[in-house]
Amino acid sequence: VSADFQERITTCLRQSASAQEEAAYRALLDIRFTQGGHHKAGRQQELQRIGMQKALFSSPKAALESTQRRIALLQGRPAISDDERIEIAGLQEFQETLLTLVNDTSANSFSRYQKLLEQLQSSEFGWNKDDAGDRLVIFSERIETLHWLQEQLTRDLKLKPKQLEVLHGSMIDIEQQALVERFGRKDDPIRVLVCSDVASEGLNLHYFCHRLVHFDLPWSLMTFQQRNGRVDRY
């Protein structure tokens, strides 16, 4: 059956960060994270920063949600230490830089999204949104990013209702399976499926789809290959 397997074509897209994204990242590096009310330089504080970096590398929206949750957690404590006040101030400065990115409805400063949009609309990529046999899967690790992509891509690609759907782990099993079945029927209007990593294992998405995009790269290479296997299969 070797003749029936097509060679996988992998394209690595690179894009320099915008000035607004650089400002957000610098603000993140300046935050003095605390644990147990105290700032202690070392590995444990850096783990908190890494968690926030992962959110930022997914999307400004995901980073904003994480930042707001952290601020609310610290401000909700009965007694706030001096170190925690310093952290809150740093988080609020970071939040301001993120709001500049999130409130830009055109997403011009979200460089990675603009690169994605350019790729999807390019003649070289050759994707046809009106072709029922040429569908697209986009993966992201964060639910906030998935919903942001749903809204932004629907507008920028001028998609019709039900042409772009979101699949994530918060959906019940019946909803997930129904969406996968829709993606495997040629008469369904769906053209783009935006997925979390709940779809990276055990799902057959290849019937009318041979294009897959990693909008944010997973930190696990195994997850990366499991995602690819949803459409690169026989």
Side-chain angles (χ1 to χ4, degrees), residues 140 142-150 166 168 194-196:
S140 172
R142 300 294 295 257
I143 290 179
E144 299 93 341
T145 304
L146 298 179
H147 289 305
W148 184 88
L149 284 171
Q150 180 183 32
V166 175
H168 56 78
V194 184
C195 309
S196 73

Side-chain angles (χ1 to χ4, degrees), residues 30-131:
D30 288 339
I31 298 172
R32 291 168 56 87
F33 286 100
T34 62
Q35 190 168 43
H38 302 286
H39 171 75
K40 298 176 183 176
R43 184 174 297 177
Q44 224 149 13
Q45 262 69 31
E46 287 310 304
L47 285 175
Q48 290 177 303
R49 196 184 316 279
I50 287 170
M52 201 69 79
Q53 284 173 327
K54 288 183 72 174
L56 181 60
F57 295 157
S58 180
S59 71
K61 182 67 173 177
L64 181 62
E65 293 283 343
S66 296
T67 304
Q68 291 173 336
R69 283 198 301 268
R70 179 68 179 168
I71 291 172
L73 174 67
L74 293 174
Q75 290 180 334
R77 291 180 176 172
I80 303 175
S81 69
D82 290 340
D83 282 350
E84 286 173 330
R85 288 191 181 89
I86 293 172
E87 181 187 348
I88 290 171
L91 287 166
Q92 288 172 335
E93 183 177 342
F94 180 46
Q95 179 180 245
E96 288 303 311
T97 64
L98 293 172
L99 285 169
T100 302
L101 289 161
V102 171
N103 292 335
D104 178 11
T105 56
S106 63
N108 285 330
S109 300
F110 189 179
S111 59
R112 187 155 38 88
Y113 174 74
Q114 293 301 324
K115 191 70 175 181
L116 170 67
L117 199 58
E118 176 187 316
Q119 178 74 359
L120 297 185
Q121 294 175 328
S122 70
S123 58
E124 181 183 4
F125 189 59
W127 176 59
N128 181 3
K129 68 178 182 180
D130 297 318
D131 183 354

Side-chain angles (χ1 to χ4, degrees), residues 113 138 149-157 159 164:
Y113 174 74
I138 302 176
L149 284 171
Q150 180 183 32
E151 181 180 340
Q152 198 73 28
L153 283 173
T154 298
R155 180 166 59 246
D156 291 340
L157 295 177
L159 297 174
L164 188 151

